[in-house]
Amino acid sequence: MCNFYYLLATLLYFIHHGNSQKADNCFPSEFLESLSMSVKITKAGFHRDLQYSVQWGKVDHDVKALLVQKLPSGVYMDEYQLETLKQDTGLEVLLDSKVDLEAPEYLSSGFTALVFLSGKHEATVPVHGRYHRPSNSSQKRVTVDIESPRLLLRSDQCETLRARVHHAVTDAPCTVRNHSFCSWLEIRDLKDTGAVSLEIPVGDSSMILSVCVGTVLTAALSCFYLLRSIWKHGTF
């Protein structure tokens, strides 16, 4: 009986050891040390681009990358624009919730975008600033900070993923179609990562009265001009 338990324990050890070796061979230490990610924001005004790039060393199997990007209430992504870009350029972005495109910043909430990288492991994702409350001070712009995304990796050749000292195993959608979940290795000690920010113009609340008066006068004069033209040239 003791020999049976000894043989069973030995067999389980070799099975576990074999799985661990497969997991280590999937993402070896040299590969993990070669990882780097950069995030940039380009363009000006309310309509910007988030540019992502992930680099790694050579590996003998295909590696899929997923960026989990949290976005604050001060910006939004247009799901209809993303769908068009998916058809035109192959961009794959999955939003975790419906996004109100018209709501101002103070009536919106943050959301998460899943950016699936393919090909050159790069992506350019459009992001748009929301209107903020008018300022009653001399502040002309407001700064919106966008934190660095989380990087997740997986490979179809790897059946088992094992957590590391600086990395964890987490579940996320396998593809942008969101039909099933897969195990991904989350990389937590990336090189050259950091938050990016954008400045968005805000209105001046001290100008509300003059703007309202000017708008009303312009509308009244336009109506008067139209009525005068109709009365003068119209046929009754």
Side-chain angles (χ1 to χ4, degrees), residues 155-180:
S155 175
D156 291 332
Q157 282 73 29
C158 302
E159 299 178 358
T160 305
L161 288 179
R162 187 165 62 90
R164 309 290 188 90
V165 175
H166 299 292
H167 316 294
V169 176
T170 187
D171 290 332
C174 300
T175 66
V176 72
R177 291 185 292 274
N178 198 21
H179 291 164
S180 60

Side-chain angles (χ1 to χ4, degrees), residues 7 23 36 44 59 97 113-114 135 152 162 176 186 193 199-200 206 208 229:
L7 291 174
S36 65
V59 66
S97 60
L114 306 181
S135 172
L152 310 182
R162 187 165 62 90
V176 72
E186 180 179 352
T193 59
E199 290 188 342
I200 297 176
S206 65
I208 290 179
S229 298

Side-chain angles (χ1 to χ4, degrees), residues 30-206:
E30 297 80 7
F31 169 81
L32 295 175
E33 291 173 358
S34 70
L35 283 167
S36 65
M37 178 178 67
S38 66
V39 183
K40 298 178 181 178
I41 191 160
T42 60
K43 297 184 178 179
F46 282 88
H47 307 289
R48 307 292 189 93
D49 282 340
L50 279 171
Q51 295 183 341
Y52 301 100
S53 177
V54 179
Q55 305 294 332
W56 57 67
K58 292 184 179 179
V59 66
D60 59 0
H61 54 268
D62 183 54
V63 176
K64 303 180 185 299
L66 168 61
L67 298 177
V68 182
Q69 177 69 75
K70 287 187 177 182
L71 292 159
S73 60
V75 296
Y76 69 91
M77 289 181 179
D78 185 341
E79 60 181 315
Y80 304 104
Q81 182 184 22
L82 295 176
E83 182 62 29
T84 300
L85 289 173
K86 178 182 177 182
Q87 298 174 3
D88 294 343
T89 68
L91 177 67
E92 296 186 334
V93 180
L94 176 65
L95 305 182
D96 72 335
S97 60
K98 291 286 291 183
V99 177
D100 189 339
L101 307 184
E102 304 297 332
E105 179 272 338
Y106 49 87
L107 294 179
S108 304
S109 57
F111 64 98
T112 299
L114 306 181
V115 183
F116 293 84
L117 302 182
S118 59
K120 296 181 179 180
H121 314 123
E122 298 176 349
T124 299
V125 184
V127 62
H128 310 279
R130 292 190 183 274
Y131 291 101
H132 288 62
R133 288 186 186 275
S135 172
N136 55 8
S137 64
S138 59
Q139 183 182 14
K140 302 296 184 182
R141 295 176 178 272
V142 63
T143 300
V144 178
D145 295 320
I146 300 177
E147 64 182 61
S148 180
R150 296 160 51 203
L151 173 62
L152 310 182
L153 300 176
R154 76 176 185 90
S155 175
D156 291 332
Q157 282 73 29
C158 302
E159 299 178 358
T160 305
L161 288 179
R162 187 165 62 90
R164 309 290 188 90
V165 175
H166 299 292
H167 316 294
V169 176
T170 187
D171 290 332
C174 300
T175 66
V176 72
R177 291 185 292 274
N178 198 21
H179 291 164
S180 60
F181 276 66
C182 293
S183 293
W184 295 77
L185 186 68
E186 180 179 352
I187 310 302
R188 293 181 172 176
D189 58 348
L190 279 172
K191 304 173 184 176
D192 302 328
T193 59
V196 295
S197 62
L198 63 155
E199 290 188 342
I200 297 176
V202 295
D204 187 349
S205 60
S206 65

